[in-house]
Amino acid sequence: MPPQTYFLVSLPASIAESDQPSDALTTLRSAVTTDSATTYPFSIPTFKIGTLEGLVQQADELSKLEQSSRGVVEKVADSLRSLLEGDEDKIREQKVVNDKPVSAYLTSFAWSKTKYRSDNRPVSELIQTLQKELNSIDNDTKSKFTQYNTASQSLTQLQRSQTGNLSQKSLTSIVNPEWLLKPDASEYITQHLVAVPTQQGKEFLKTYEGLSEWVVPRSATLLAKDDEFFLYAVTVFKKQSTEFVHKCRERRWTPRDWKFHEGGKEAEDEELRKLEKEERSLWGEALRMGRTGYGDAIVAWMHVLALRVFVESVLRYGLPANFVTGIMKPEPKRAKKAKQMLDARFSDLGGNAMNRDKKGKPIKDDSSTQTEMAGAGMGGGNESFEPYVFYEFEIA
C-alpha cells in the first residue's frame, strides 16, 4: 500500500468575514473539493509566547526536532517490518495509535494535556519535553529489538550447528568422549579433530604424519563420516599443535574445536529448547514494544508539528494568535491538485512573495525574504516559501 499524504494548513482567521476560526475552517474546507481532499480540524491550544527572537530560534529548533521525530517513526516501522518479515498486513495491524488506525488519530487530533501539559508553559519547555520523549522511545525500542536480535542470532547459530556436514555441525552427538584423550590426560600430547573431504581421504592418511614435527605415527583414527567428509582424530605433541593446525588449513582440511560438555547431546538439546523459548518470549516483547513505540512516536511527532504550526503562525500572522489549522487527507494521486487549489485560493496571503503568470496562476518569487524564513525553520521543510503555513508529510 502506498504512503498516505497529509497536509497541515494554518490560515489567519481573517480569511472569513466574521474573523472567527470556526468560519475560517469552513473557508479552508471550501477551497479544496472533496474529490481531491477531505479537511479536518486540527486543534492547537495557545501557548505561552516569549520574544520574537526566541520564536525564531524555536522555529529552527522545531524544524530539526521534526526531522528527528520522522526518523524515530521510520526506525520503529523498519524494526516492525523486520520482526514481521515484511508481511504488510501484519505490519499494518501493529502500526496504530492507542489501538486505532493512524488516520483516525490524525483526523481527530487534539493536544494531549495530560501527556504534554501546555497551560502557562513556554514553548521552549515543551520542546525539551518532546525531545526527551522521543529519545526515550528511540532508546527503549532499540534496546528491546537489539535484545531480541541477539537471542535470535544465538538460536540460529545453535540450530545451524545441528545441521550440515562434519565440517560445520556440532560434534556433541557424534563424538563419544571415551574415544578421545581427556584434556588433562597428558602434559605433552593432545588430539586434534580434522574434517577431511571424502575425495581427499587417502591423501590425508598418506601425508598427515609429515604435516609437522611430533605427529604421533599411525594415530589417525576415523571417528565418523558422512557424504562429504571424514572426521579423524590425530595425536600431536602439544608444542607442535599450532603448526599442525596451520598445515591442515593450508590443505583445506578443517580443524574442528571440540570440548567435552557434561550431559552431551541431552544438554545441547536442553540449551536449544531454552533458546527457542527465550526467542519466542523476546519476539512477543519486541512486538509489543514496537506497537507501543510506533504509536507513541506518531503522537510525539504530531505534537512537534502542532508546535511548529503555532510558532510559524504567530511569526507570520502576528499577535494576538487568531488562526485556524486544518489537516487535509488528499485522495490517492490527488495531492498535487489539492495543493494547486489551496494556492489558487490563498496565494494573496504571500503578499509580494507570490506573483501570477499570464494565465493568472500563482507563482512564487524566490526573494531573499523567503530564503531567510526558510532558514528559520519555516515553510514546511522545503526550500520554497509558501504563502501560508503549510506542512506536507506522509504516513507509510
Side-chain angles (χ1 to χ4, degrees), residues 54-68:
L55 281 175
V56 172
Q57 180 181 345
Q58 288 155 10
D60 183 53
E61 291 173 357
L62 285 165
S63 174
K64 296 173 183 176
L65 183 56
E66 204 239 313
Q67 291 179 27
S68 175

Side-chain angles (χ1 to χ4, degrees), residues 220-234:
T221 303
L222 181 64
L223 303 180
K225 65 180 180 178
D226 59 22
D227 293 339
E228 299 176 67
F229 286 86
F230 294 120
L231 182 67
Y232 286 99
V234 178

Side-chain angles (χ1 to χ4, degrees), residues 31-89:
V32 179
T33 56
T34 54
D35 63 335
S36 292
T38 305
T39 305
Y40 304 87
F42 193 87
S43 178
I44 302 176
T46 299
F47 303 105
K48 186 177 180 180
I49 299 171
T51 63
L52 176 61
E53 182 181 356
L55 281 175
V56 172
Q57 180 181 345
Q58 288 155 10
D60 183 53
E61 291 173 357
L62 285 165
S63 174
K64 296 173 183 176
L65 183 56
E66 204 239 313
Q67 291 179 27
S68 175
S69 304
R70 293 185 191 222
V72 173
V73 171
E74 290 168 0
K75 281 190 284 186
V76 177
D78 286 344
S79 295
L80 281 171
R81 185 172 292 106
S82 174
L83 190 69
L84 296 170
E85 299 178 338
D87 189 321
E88 290 300 328
D89 290 335

Side-chain angles (χ1 to χ4, degrees), residues 324-345:
V324 65
T325 305
I327 185 167
M328 287 188 166
K329 183 180 180 182
E331 295 298 318
K333 300 181 180 180
R334 298 284 289 178
K336 184 177 180 180
K337 181 64 177 177
K339 182 62 170 68
Q340 289 172 345
M341 291 180 182
L342 284 171
D343 286 346
R345 183 68 177 274

Side-chain angles (χ1 to χ4, degrees), residues 207-243:
T207 60
Y208 79 90
E209 294 177 3
L211 289 180
S212 69
E213 295 183 294
W214 302 100
V215 176
V216 177
R218 300 181 183 181
S219 63
T221 303
L222 181 64
L223 303 180
K225 65 180 180 178
D226 59 22
D227 293 339
E228 299 176 67
F229 286 86
F230 294 120
L231 182 67
Y232 286 99
V234 178
T235 305
V236 181
F237 277 75
K238 290 181 179 180
K239 63 181 179 179
Q240 288 296 323
S241 285
T242 302
E243 179 69 11

Side-chain angles (χ1 to χ4, degrees), residues 206-390:
K206 288 180 181 179
T207 60
Y208 79 90
E209 294 177 3
L211 289 180
S212 69
E213 295 183 294
W214 302 100
V215 176
V216 177
R218 300 181 183 181
S219 63
T221 303
L222 181 64
L223 303 180
K225 65 180 180 178
D226 59 22
D227 293 339
E228 299 176 67
F229 286 86
F230 294 120
L231 182 67
Y232 286 99
V234 178
T235 305
V236 181
F237 277 75
K238 290 181 179 180
K239 63 181 179 179
Q240 288 296 323
S241 285
T242 302
E243 179 69 11
F244 179 79
V245 169
H246 176 68
K247 292 296 184 180
C248 284
R249 289 201 173 103
E250 281 187 347
R251 295 181 178 234
R252 299 187 182 279
W253 301 336
T254 308
R256 296 299 314 274
D257 291 329
W258 184 86
K259 292 182 180 180
F260 174 73
H261 295 285
E262 193 72 39
K265 182 68 166 59
E266 292 76 13
E268 191 174 76
D269 290 342
E270 178 60 30
E271 178 67 14
L272 178 61
R273 287 190 292 271
K274 177 183 175 183
L275 283 175
E276 286 174 339
K277 182 178 179 181
E278 182 183 10
E279 191 265 355
R280 284 194 301 270
S281 176
L282 286 171
W283 186 91
E285 292 177 19
L287 183 65
R288 288 189 291 274
M289 179 64 76
R291 180 187 179 96
T292 302
Y294 182 83
D296 288 347
I298 288 285
V299 169
W301 180 19
M302 290 305 108
H303 282 72
V304 171
L305 269 172
L307 276 179
R308 286 198 76 184
V309 169
F310 175 82
V311 169
E312 184 173 346
S313 297
V314 171
L315 288 171
R316 282 179 182 256
Y317 309 139
L319 293 172
N322 189 25
F323 57 89
V324 65
T325 305
I327 185 167
M328 287 188 166
K329 183 180 180 182
E331 295 298 318
K333 300 181 180 180
R334 298 284 289 178
K336 184 177 180 180
K337 181 64 177 177
K339 182 62 170 68
Q340 289 172 345
M341 291 180 182
L342 284 171
D343 286 346
R345 183 68 177 274
F346 303 116
S347 61
D348 58 311
L349 293 174
N352 294 331
M354 298 295 293
N355 295 321
R356 292 184 180 271
D357 62 17
K358 294 180 179 179
K359 295 182 180 180
K361 294 182 178 180
I363 57 175
K364 295 168 187 174
D365 176 20
D366 293 327
S367 65
S368 59
T369 302
Q370 297 176 48
T371 304
E372 290 173 6
M373 294 188 74
M378 298 167 63
N382 302 317
E383 292 183 0
S384 59
F385 173 72
E386 302 293 346
Y388 44 86
V389 177
F390 175 85

Side-chain angles (χ1 to χ4, degrees), residues 16 30 56 79 95 116 130 150 162 202 231 284 308 371 382:
S30 67
V56 172
S79 295
K95 292 166 74 171
Y116 308 110
L130 285 161
T150 299
Q162 296 190 335
K202 291 182 179 179
L231 182 67
R308 286 198 76 184
T371 304
N382 302 317

